Amino acid sequence: MSATRLPGTPRLLRALNDRAALELLLERGPLTRARLGELTGLSKVTASQLVERLEERGLVTRVGEQAGGRGPNAQLYAVRPSSAYVVGVDVGAERVVAACADITGEVVGRVEQSTRDTDDPVGVVHNAVVQAANSAGAELSSVRRIVLGTPGLVDPGSGDITFAFNLPRWHRGLLAALRDDLHTPVVFENDVNLAAVAEAQSGAAQGVSDFVLVWVGAGVGLAIMLGGRLHHGSSGAAGEIGYLPVPGVPIPRDVSKRAKPAFQQLAGADAVHSVAAEHGFVAGGAAEAGCAAGSAAEAVRVAIEAGTAGGPMLDELARRLALGVASTCVVLDPPLVVLAGEVGQAGGAALADRVQHEVAAITLVRPRVVATGLTEEPILRGALRTALDAVRDEVFGSTVG
């Protein structure tokens, strides 16, 4: 019997080589054909054919020349930024922020809108996405994917929102309505999960495949990264740590009602305010006029600036947070815990070290606890990264005709 034939092998090899070349151009900047050949292990002829193929498809473009020895200067090539765009959206209770990035990952457009005066989520997202694309000089038809970070549960099967505590108008059926409205692939993802994606890309969890991120802001949330992939759970509820039953606070029996769940009562922004006030620390007037999370974060900063006088307040906050962190870590046993959100960021190493010490005191696990390495818009950054990963797979994975 003759050996089994593998049809399409040359086509597959071309696709793999094209993808490798595009990734190198993204990572290392403009390259010559000869340098691409060296880095991919391809011959000069094959590398030239590869570049011509990608240029014909509008994925790479000439961006300059590199002077050499004898002979003409070598052409430099780079990924064509306008070959595709993505939009990331951070949806909050009072505002929506949308950013548009080209396929290289550069953010080229950004808008921010209030949501206080509208009850139309489709209209809010439509306006934010269109304006972000317009500010980037991109046609909406060139936006290949839109990723929205929202609080609450996202059904892993349907991709739709099933429950959002502080976004009551966001509900099942919204995903289909947005896709019909924008004529573009739209994806929902939990906001804390997106913060973990950003942390893994360029924050405190770079190079770590297993970690958890604890978000401490207006509420408390958790993202779980295992093997470099987000763990969502069967219903999308993995990480809803605010509902963790903990001692010392009432445990609501009906989550459909808007009573605060147990761990949320113990460690959310209102609880941080109470702990700070008990120890004589309050946020400044400007912070008090803002959101609850910002005001709680300011109270933590005041305590840290007070030096040793702020220690007891930070100790109490760490003891409360450690109940949630320890409960998670004795199940998952991750090597790393990242404290994020407004309060986690404000607490910095002073709070993270205390949580690490407290977790080690009450459990058998010893995770390293660190503060977030990101200071600006982690949810938005995670949304853009998620969108870019998907679109690059689509665009770079279809380069062979």
Side-chain angles (χ1 to χ4, degrees), residues 189-230:
E189 180 58 272
N190 175 266
D191 51 3
V192 179
N193 283 344
L194 291 178
V197 170
E199 206 74 53
Q201 177 203 357
S202 55
Q206 289 183 78
V208 182
S209 59
D210 295 345
F211 71 94
V212 296
L213 179 142
V214 180
W215 184 275
V216 190
V220 287
L222 179 81
I224 304 165
M225 192 76 76
L226 299 175
R229 298 173 63 89
L230 287 171

Side-chain angles (χ1 to χ4, degrees), residues 155-221:
D155 188 313
S158 68
D160 221 333
I161 290 177
T162 58
F163 178 76
F165 188 88
N166 55 350
L167 292 175
R169 298 182 184 89
W170 292 63
H171 50 72
R172 286 187 184 273
L174 182 57
L175 182 63
L178 286 170
R179 288 173 174 172
D180 289 344
D181 176 74
L182 294 165
H183 306 290
T184 304
V186 178
V187 176
F188 284 133
E189 180 58 272
N190 175 266
D191 51 3
V192 179
N193 283 344
L194 291 178
V197 170
E199 206 74 53
Q201 177 203 357
S202 55
Q206 289 183 78
V208 182
S209 59
D210 295 345
F211 71 94
V212 296
L213 179 142
V214 180
W215 184 275
V216 190
V220 287

Side-chain angles (χ1 to χ4, degrees), residues 16-293:
L16 292 173
N17 289 336
D18 289 356
R19 178 64 185 262
L22 289 164
E23 294 288 355
L24 284 168
L25 288 170
L26 284 174
E27 292 171 7
R28 304 202 180 193
L31 298 171
T32 64
R33 296 187 186 201
R35 184 59 177 152
L36 267 176
E38 293 173 6
L39 293 171
T40 57
L42 301 174
S43 69
K44 291 182 179 179
V45 172
T46 303
S48 292
Q49 292 172 342
L50 178 154
V51 171
E52 289 173 4
R53 188 163 59 243
L54 296 178
E55 196 172 14
E56 288 174 0
R57 292 180 174 274
L59 294 178
V60 302
T61 186
R62 302 178 193 188
V63 294
E65 296 181 345
Q66 184 180 76
R70 299 174 182 176
N73 293 342
Q75 296 289 329
L76 285 166
Y77 295 87
V79 173
R80 182 169 164 261
S82 60
S83 56
Y85 294 91
V86 299
V87 172
V89 186
D90 178 4
V91 180
E94 297 186 345
R95 67 169 190 156
V96 167
V97 181
C100 180
D102 62 38
I103 201 165
T104 71
E106 182 179 357
V107 176
V108 288
R110 185 184 184 281
V111 296
E112 183 174 330
Q113 296 181 348
S114 170
T115 59
R116 296 178 182 177
D117 300 325
T118 180
D119 59 358
D120 176 18
V122 174
V124 166
V125 174
H126 176 97
N127 290 337
V129 169
V130 170
Q131 290 182 28
N134 287 343
S135 68
E139 298 289 337
L140 188 59
S141 59
S142 66
V143 174
R144 298 286 294 262
R145 183 166 295 243
I146 300 162
V147 174
L148 295 97
T150 75
L153 305 188
V154 178
D155 188 313
S158 68
D160 221 333
I161 290 177
T162 58
F163 178 76
F165 188 88
N166 55 350
L167 292 175
R169 298 182 184 89
W170 292 63
H171 50 72
R172 286 187 184 273
L174 182 57
L175 182 63
L178 286 170
R179 288 173 174 172
D180 289 344
D181 176 74
L182 294 165
H183 306 290
T184 304
V186 178
V187 176
F188 284 133
E189 180 58 272
N190 175 266
D191 51 3
V192 179
N193 283 344
L194 291 178
V197 170
E199 206 74 53
Q201 177 203 357
S202 55
Q206 289 183 78
V208 182
S209 59
D210 295 345
F211 71 94
V212 296
L213 179 142
V214 180
W215 184 275
V216 190
V220 287
L222 179 81
I224 304 165
M225 192 76 76
L226 299 175
R229 298 173 63 89
L230 287 171
H231 177 70
H232 295 88
S234 61
S235 65
E240 290 296 327
I241 197 173
Y243 290 88
L244 186 70
V246 290
V249 291
I251 300 175
R253 305 288 298 181
D254 187 353
V255 298
S256 65
K257 296 181 179 179
R258 301 208 166 263
K260 287 184 179 179
F263 190 56
Q264 166 78 10
Q265 297 175 53
L266 196 69
D270 290 344
V272 175
H273 277 297
S274 297
V275 172
E278 288 171 6
H279 290 82
F281 298 104
V282 294
E288 289 176 352
C291 67

